[in-house]
């Protein structure tokens, strides 16, 4: 997945991105930021959990750390997005209490996406 994580995310979103390591190996990470357009909205861009560490609650913990951080920075809403066929993340976000909406052709013709939103205030 390293091709999906350009260095700029780690340079420009340090205060709202998090890494969990296990014996110097990345176990999980969350890349997030605060919207420059809507300053009370935070966005989770990418989350990954090493397959060896899945089902241990790391993603849920990272989300909670992110919620706490951005709430302190004045955010009231967290948003994220996934492909309409990506069942794992859809189920995960539903279990976390996110509301969701399907947007047809959101990323181009035939590129449907599920948009998630969670009120954290």
């Amino acid at each position: 997945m390293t091709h999906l994580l350009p260095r700029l995310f780690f340079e420009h979103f340090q205060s709202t991105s998090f890494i969990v390591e296990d014996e110097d190996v990345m176990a999980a990470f969350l890349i997030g930021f605060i919207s420059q357009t809507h300053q009370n909205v935070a966005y989770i861009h990418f989350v990954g959990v090493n397959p060896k560490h899945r089902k241990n609650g790391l993603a849920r913990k990272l989300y909670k750390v992110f919620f706490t951080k951005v709430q302190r920075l004045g955010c009231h809403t967290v948003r994220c997005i996934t492909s309409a066929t990506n069942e794992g993340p859809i189920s995960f976000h539903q279990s976390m209490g996110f509301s969701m909406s399907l947007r047809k052709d959101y990323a181009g013709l035939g590129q449907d996406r599920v948009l998630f939103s969670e009120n954290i205030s």
Side-chain angles (χ1 to χ4, degrees):
M1 284 197 274
T2 56
H3 68 284
L4 298 173
L5 294 169
R7 183 181 179 115
L8 71 93
F9 288 119
F10 296 100
E11 288 183 13
H12 297 285
F13 305 126
Q14 287 181 19
S15 68
T16 53
S17 297
F18 307 95
I19 296 173
V20 176
E21 292 182 321
D22 181 33
E23 299 181 15
D24 295 329
V25 174
M26 189 176 347
F29 65 89
L30 181 150
I31 304 294
F33 55 87
I34 295 173
S35 170
Q36 290 187 357
T37 303
H38 308 285
Q39 302 222 343
N40 65 338
V41 175
Y43 184 81
I44 295 174
H45 175 66
F46 202 54
V47 178
V49 179
N50 183 317
K52 295 178 184 176
H53 295 278
R54 290 192 179 145
K55 306 296 182 190
N56 291 336
L58 287 179
R60 189 173 299 274
K61 288 176 186 173
L62 284 170
Y63 270 62
K64 289 180 180 181
V65 168
F66 181 78
F67 289 174
T68 299
K69 176 68 176 191
V70 298
Q71 193 171 28
R72 285 187 195 140
L73 295 171
C75 294
H76 305 291
T77 303
V78 173
R79 294 187 179 149
C80 44
I81 189 171
T82 195
S83 166
T85 60
N86 208 349
E87 295 176 11
I90 292 171
S91 177
F92 172 77
H93 287 91
Q94 286 177 314
S95 76
M96 290 285 297
F98 280 80
S99 62
M100 59 183 247
S101 62
L102 176 64
R103 295 285 183 86
K104 298 293 240 176
D105 302 325
Y106 183 83
L109 190 60
Q111 302 281 328
D112 303 341
R113 298 291 184 264
V114 176
L115 282 60
F116 300 101
S117 183
E118 172 75 351
N119 184 346
I120 60 169
S121 57

